[in-house]
Amino acid sequence: MISIAILGAGNVASHLYKAFSKSDTVDVKQWYNRSYDAIKSFKNETEVIDDLAKLKEVDVYILAVSDDALEEFSKTLPFNNRFIVHTSGTVSMYALDKKNKRGVFYPLQSFSKDANVNFENVPFCIETEEKSKMQMLKDLANALGSKYYKITTEQRKTLHVAAVFINNFTNQMYRIAHEISDAENIEFDLLKPLILETANKVQDMSPYMAQTGPAKRNDKKTLKKHLKRIENEEHKEIYKLITKSIQKTHGIKYRFDIKRKKH
Amino acid sequence: MISIAILGAGNVASHLYKAFSKSDTVDVKQWYNRSYDAIKSFKNETEVIDDLAKLKEVDVYILAVSDDALEEFSKTLPFNNRFIVHTSGTVSMYALDKKNKRGVFYPLQSFSKDANVNFENVPFCIETEEKSKMQMLKDLANALGSKYYKITTEQRKTLHVAAVFINNFTNQMYRIAHEISDAENIEFDLLKPLILETANKVQDMSPYMAQTGPAKRNDKKTLKKHLKRIENEEHKEIYKLITKSIQKTHGIKYRFDIKRKKH
Ligand SMILES: NC(=O)c1ccc[n+]([C@@H]2O[C@H](COP(=O)([O-])OP(=O)(O)OC[C@H]3O[C@@H](n4cnc5c(N)ncnc54)[C@H](OP(=O)(O)O)[C@@H]3O)[C@@H](O)[C@H]2O)c1
Ligand SMILES: NC(=O)c1ccc[n+]([C@@H]2O[C@H](COP(=O)([O-])OP(=O)(O)OC[C@H]3O[C@@H](n4cnc5c(N)ncnc54)[C@H](OP(=O)(O)O)[C@@H]3O)[C@@H](O)[C@H]2O)c1
């Protein structure tokens, strides 16, 4: 049995609390938050506290507090040499005060308070200062039914960039498609199955192998027709640049002629 | 009961045949293909033919043959004034020979021969020359459990552009993320749940509402850090352009400074 304390009561802390409470291999000994109100309704399930001095000794302290607060908050912990982890994708492990043994237990998923979370689909990036602590984080991930990946602080930074492409930039592709279809009174609903299909396809196939379409086929006639049809200058520019990128990826010699306005 | 004939035996024709055969409201009277080999194994289920002269009168003839062949092929049909539809996303309804009544029954999904198709998730774009024929296509879609959308030939062309953003360009975002993570020995598997999450989110929320991240937050520190971390010049350029696009969409005044190399 691994004993843990959860610190913080935001999106991540709340979901972790709920999931760990159900586990047979993890005991949530205490739940701390600076404002008691957020956690008091759980007082019959676990020990809820708003005073750091009351923290008992446990195997892992999970600091699920805001990124900006992590560094200072870790200094205020009234103990040494215990194992503390944060749950942030962007904060370095070394931002935590070195008086304790440090680690990262970062769930790569966006959480909101209402939506239910199925942790089986949430991969954890784990990192520890001391190698011997790694198994503890693996066990925590297993207790949630989650996959885990050993990821260094440096790798985590790169991962964040990759996630921007996959989440924010992909979402902007959806948005542009929405604008283009709206302008012609085409219901966006019509495109939703294609969004899912595209995402599903790369679950068992590399994006390289999954690519299709006029850029990949180097279908110049269609590329030209599409550009003519796109009215928004910025969308045109994106069309050209991503087409060029696809063609480069697939070793196509012909590069879509890009006339760029100078800024 | 609607009687139909399917013409062609490629990806689309084969899936349509299978699905319509199971329906109680549609009778696949005949299946034609120019090469008999592709369909002969179905001869105990329906009438399979390779001679257009043998085509009987049915309510709808579905021409699921290659885009390039559609125009000529429709001329060779040995009858007039019957209802014929093609299944293409890119060919105009008017490309079909006008001796017959014309329509389009276009499934917006990519098919491959082996993969099973759940037609409940396949939206159909339908169009007819004669208004009175519209109901027939609605009934066909209903027989498959599919949603349908009335879409004109012009709208279909725009839809194709939107689909490039949603399918090919999104896939290229995945590809770039793959390159970025590979370079740091990060398993791409780690990012797959995020791909699904991003696609799922816009099923009940507009892409506008779903947007998050440093561009939307105008988090200049992170934007700069990311740009420094991206080594590939082309990826940098894409990062800047899509960031700019997100900021424009969300009315953010600060525009990420774009220094563009002249080409
Ligand atoms: N949300 C996500 O999608 C997500 C995903 C992966 C990782 N993460 C990471 O998980 C961590 C928590 O994120 P979250 O989304 O759960 O945040 P959140 O919902 O905003 O909650 C923040 C929590 O931190 C506490 N807090 C803030 N400043 C504090 C301070 N100075 N001292 C003590 N406690 C403080 C807050 O306490 P009060 O209740 O008293 O305000 C609150 O309980 C962050 O590192 C974040 O990067 C978030
Ligand atoms: N595949 C998709 O993902 C998809 C999705 C939506 C719509 N569509 C559209 O559906 C239609 C069919 O596509 P598909 O993917 O099923 O194509 P496909 O798998 O390549 O099959 C093409 C079919 O057309 C026949 N054909 C080709 N040229 C012909 C000609 N000159 N005369 C008579 N028959 C000819 C072929 O006959 P043989 O067997 O004798 O070669 C074959 O049966 C196209 O309009 C396509 O744009 C396809």
Side-chain angles (χ1 to χ4, degrees):
Chain A
M1 196 71 142
I2 306 174
S3 61
I4 67 170
I6 295 175
L7 296 90
N11 288 318
V12 171
S14 304
H15 285 294
L16 285 178
Y17 171 75
K18 255 180 252 165
F20 279 128
S21 313
K22 287 188 200 126
S23 151
D24 300 329
T25 54
V26 173
D27 176 21
V28 186
K29 268 250 165 79
Q30 293 182 306
W31 190 359
Y32 162 91
N33 197 45
R34 61 173 180 186
S35 21
Y36 189 68
D37 271 4
I39 49 174
K40 70 174 178 209
S41 62
F42 297 88
K43 66 172 183 248
N44 296 326
E45 297 179 18
T46 188
E47 195 185 330
V48 293
I49 54 172
D50 60 359
D51 178 3
L52 291 172
K54 288 190 185 151
L55 279 169
K56 295 176 179 157
E57 180 152 5
V58 292
D59 296 324
V60 192
Y61 297 83
I62 301 179
L63 280 57
V65 303
S66 313
D67 286 357
D68 295 342
L70 274 169
E71 187 163 352
E72 287 308 312
F73 183 67
S74 70
K75 286 183 188 150
T76 64
L77 296 174
F79 48 74
N80 302 316
N81 273 317
R82 297 187 192 168
F83 185 35
I84 67 172
V85 299
H86 71 61
T87 60
S88 171
T90 48
V91 176
S92 164
M93 177 169 72
Y94 306 100
L96 297 174
D97 191 321
K98 65 174 185 298
K99 70 184 175 186
N100 281 298
K101 291 168 184 162
R102 300 171 288 186
V104 177
F105 189 64
Y106 163 51
L108 183 67
Q109 160 120 11
S110 51
F111 296 94
S112 54
K113 231 165 190 170
D114 338 302
N116 270 327
V117 173
N118 179 1
F119 274 99
E120 281 173 33
N121 302 328
V122 178
F124 276 84
C125 301
I126 58 177
E127 179 178 9
T128 57
E129 201 172 8
E130 274 184 21
K131 222 174 166 178
S132 65
K133 293 291 182 201
M134 193 53 94
Q135 189 58 44
M136 191 90 81
L137 295 188
K138 290 181 182 173
D139 292 343
L140 284 185
N142 282 333
L144 299 172
S146 305
K147 290 196 182 147
Y148 54 79
Y149 298 82
K150 277 173 65 176
I151 295 288
T152 65
T153 286
E154 271 308 299
Q155 283 175 318
R156 221 166 355 99
K157 288 180 188 164
T158 297
L159 198 58
H160 199 247
V161 179
V164 164
F165 279 87
I166 280 193
N167 183 340
N168 311 146
F169 289 2
T170 286
N171 191 70
Q172 185 66 3
M173 297 300 117
Y174 303 160
R175 164 68 192 183
I176 293 171
H178 195 169
E179 285 181 32
I180 290 173
S181 49
D182 250 13
E184 300 283 336
N185 292 314
I186 300 163
E187 283 184 65
F188 187 61
D189 278 354
L190 179 50
L191 289 160
K192 288 180 178 175
L194 188 62
I195 288 175
L196 288 178
E197 193 197 329
T198 305
N200 278 320
K201 202 166 168 192
V202 295
Q203 301 298 310
D204 344 279
M205 194 190 268
S206 70
Y208 182 88
M209 293 300 293
Q211 192 59 277
T212 60
K216 161 83 186 296
R217 282 198 312 273
N218 196 16
D219 173 351
K220 296 171 204 177
K221 231 172 91 182
T222 300
L223 292 171
K224 271 186 196 140
K225 269 195 215 158
H226 282 184
L227 267 190
K228 250 183 98 173
R229 193 159 274 271
I230 298 171
E231 282 175 9
N232 183 313
E233 278 306 321
E234 174 206 307
H235 295 170
K236 261 196 220 298
E237 210 178 338
I238 292 172
Y239 191 97
K240 285 177 190 168
L241 190 61
I242 314 289
T243 292
K244 190 177 116 181
S245 173
I246 293 173
Q247 300 205 324
K248 198 167 174 195
T249 295
H250 293 275
I252 294 167
K253 290 254 167 53
Y254 170 78
R255 294 285 160 64
F256 205 36
D257 178 35
I258 306 209
K259 289 193 207 93
R260 212 24 99 39
K261 284 175 310 182
K262 293 178 187 95
H263 291 258
Chain B
M1 194 73 142
I2 305 175
S3 61
I4 67 169
I6 295 176
L7 296 90
N11 288 318
V12 172
S14 304
H15 285 294
L16 285 178
Y17 171 75
K18 257 181 250 165
F20 278 128
S21 311
K22 286 187 200 127
S23 152
D24 300 329
T25 53
V26 173
D27 175 23
V28 186
K29 268 250 165 79
Q30 294 182 306
W31 190 358
Y32 162 92
N33 196 46
R34 62 172 179 186
S35 20
Y36 189 69
D37 270 5
I39 50 174
K40 69 174 178 211
S41 62
F42 296 89
K43 66 171 182 247
N44 295 327
E45 297 179 19
T46 188
E47 195 186 329
V48 294
I49 54 172
D50 60 359
D51 178 2
L52 291 173
K54 288 189 186 150
L55 279 169
K56 295 176 182 159
E57 180 151 5
V58 293
D59 296 325
V60 193
Y61 297 83
I62 301 179
L63 279 57
V65 304
S66 314
D67 286 357
D68 296 342
L70 274 169
E71 187 164 352
E72 288 307 312
F73 183 66
S74 70
K75 287 184 189 151
T76 65
L77 295 174
F79 49 74
N80 302 316
N81 275 318
R82 298 188 192 166
F83 185 35
I84 67 173
V85 299
H86 72 61
T87 61
S88 172
T90 48
V91 176
S92 164
M93 178 169 72
Y94 306 101
L96 297 175
D97 191 320
K98 66 174 183 298
K99 71 184 175 186
N100 281 298
K101 290 168 185 164
R102 301 171 288 185
V104 178
F105 189 66
Y106 162 53
L108 184 66
Q109 160 118 12
S110 52
F111 295 94
S112 54
K113 229 164 190 171
D114 338 305
N116 271 325
V117 173
N118 179 359
F119 273 99
E120 281 173 34
N121 302 328
V122 179
F124 276 83
C125 301
I126 59 177
E127 181 179 8
T128 57
E129 202 173 6
E130 274 184 21
K131 222 173 166 182
S132 65
K133 292 292 181 200
M134 193 51 95
Q135 190 57 45
M136 191 91 82
L137 296 188
K138 291 181 182 173
D139 292 342
L140 284 185
N142 282 333
L144 300 171
S146 305
K147 289 196 183 147
Y148 54 79
Y149 298 82
K150 276 173 65 176
I151 294 289
T152 65
T153 286
E154 271 309 298
Q155 283 175 319
R156 220 162 1 95
K157 288 179 188 163
T158 298
L159 197 59
H160 198 247
V161 180
V164 164
F165 279 87
I166 281 194
N167 183 342
N168 311 146
F169 290 1
T170 286
N171 191 71
Q172 185 65 3
M173 296 302 117
Y174 302 160
R175 164 66 192 186
I176 294 171
H178 195 170
E179 284 182 33
I180 290 173
S181 49
D182 250 14
E184 300 283 337
N185 292 314
I186 300 163
E187 283 183 65
F188 187 62
D189 277 354
L190 179 49
L191 289 160
K192 288 180 178 175
L194 188 62
I195 288 175
L196 289 177
E197 192 196 329
T198 305
N200 278 319
K201 204 168 167 191
V202 295
Q203 302 297 310
D204 342 281
M205 193 190 269
S206 71
Y208 182 88
M209 292 302 293
Q211 193 58 280
T212 61
K216 161 83 186 296
R217 282 197 313 273
N218 197 16
D219 173 352
K220 296 172 203 177
K221 232 172 91 181
T222 300
L223 292 172
K224 271 186 195 137
K225 269 194 214 158
H226 281 183
L227 267 190
K228 249 182 100 172
R229 192 159 275 270
I230 299 172
E231 284 176 9
N232 182 313
E233 278 305 322
E234 174 205 306
H235 296 171
K236 259 196 221 301
E237 209 177 339
I238 292 172
Y239 191 98
K240 286 178 190 167
L241 190 61
I242 313 289
T243 292
K244 192 178 116 184
S245 173
I246 293 172
Q247 299 204 325
K248 198 167 173 196
T249 295
H250 293 275
I252 294 167
K253 290 253 166 51
Y254 170 78
R255 295 286 159 66
F256 207 37
D257 178 36
I258 306 209
K259 289 195 205 92
R260 199 53 79 40
K261 283 175 312 181
K262 293 182 186 89
H263 291 257

